[in-house]
């Protein structure tokens, strides 16, 4: 795959209230750099054709910190599926594979992103990045077939005891064929307890449409997300310990 056929959407529209700070969550520093900066630098290494950052509450802070950034505004917080849908017009002139990342998941590597993107072919419309944490906690589970195809993503709250025994978890990071991505997003509904459009719902939509869905595995550290100052402190300490080894 040539990188001009690769684009990226970075989700950074969340309010980040659990950080208990006026500073936007993705601008909090990890190892001396804003979390969003880690993600943007990784994408810059890939030299892809277009990077879009979906912004919402506190977007002025992001646009001030990164004035040359291409942003798309999600005016209402209607879920991750909706956040991707608002980028459709900005990607109108793009044809290829779209990476979906998160501004608060800063450590995913360019090698992993390329492995993920390279899974997407004419036969495989979507690839999901999974991991096997020491403690599965409240992560969504990736239910796969014996041949390795991803059947569906099961949210922890909706999982049975048997499904919660699955150790392979969802990082949220994906790569998808742009055309089939937006076709499937137009079909998902918000008939759930939160009234939101969930990006994870496209896995079942893809399968029902006959499109293959694959997985790629990453290390738990690579897909560590930050939702609170305590989690940020813990991740900073982990990186410091590694650097001192």
């Amino acid at each position: 795959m040539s990188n001009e056929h690769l684009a990226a959407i970075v989700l950074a529209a969340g309010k980040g209230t659990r950080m208990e700070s006026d500073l936007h969550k993705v601008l909090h520093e990890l190892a001396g750099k804003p979390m969003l900066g880690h993600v943007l630098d990784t994408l810059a290494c890939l030299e892809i054709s277009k990077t879009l950052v979906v912004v919402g509450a506190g977007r002025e802070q992001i646009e001030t910190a990164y004035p040359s950034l291409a942003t798309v505004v999600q005016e209402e917080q209607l879920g991750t599926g909706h956040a991707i849908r608002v980028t459709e017009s900005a990607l109108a002139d793009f044809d290829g594979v779209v990476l979906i990342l998160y501004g608060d998941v800063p450590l995913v590597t360019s090698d992993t992103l390329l492995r993920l993107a390279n899974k997407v072919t004419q036969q495989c419309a979507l690839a999901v990045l999974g991991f096997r944490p020491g403690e599965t906690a409240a992560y969504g589970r990736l239910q796969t077939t014996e041949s390795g195809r991803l059947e569906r993503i099961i949210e922890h709250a909706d999982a049975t005891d048997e499904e919660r025994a699955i150790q392979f978890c969802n990082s949220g990071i994906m790569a998808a064929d742009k055309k089939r991505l937006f076709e499937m997003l137009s079909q998902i509904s918000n008939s759930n307890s939160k009234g939101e459009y969930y990006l994870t719902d496209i896995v079942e939509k893809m399968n029902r449409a006959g499109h293959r869905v694959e997985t790629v595995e990453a290390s738990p550290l690579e897909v560590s997300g930050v939702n609170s100052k305590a989690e940020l402190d813990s991740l900073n300490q982990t990186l410091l310990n590694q650097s001192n080894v």
Side-chain angles (χ1 to χ4, degrees), residues 21 83 109 195 198:
S21 170
T109 67
Y198 295 136

Side-chain angles (χ1 to χ4, degrees), residues 84 184 190 202 244:
I84 301 302
M184 295 300 107
N190 65 342
I202 67 168
N244 290 334

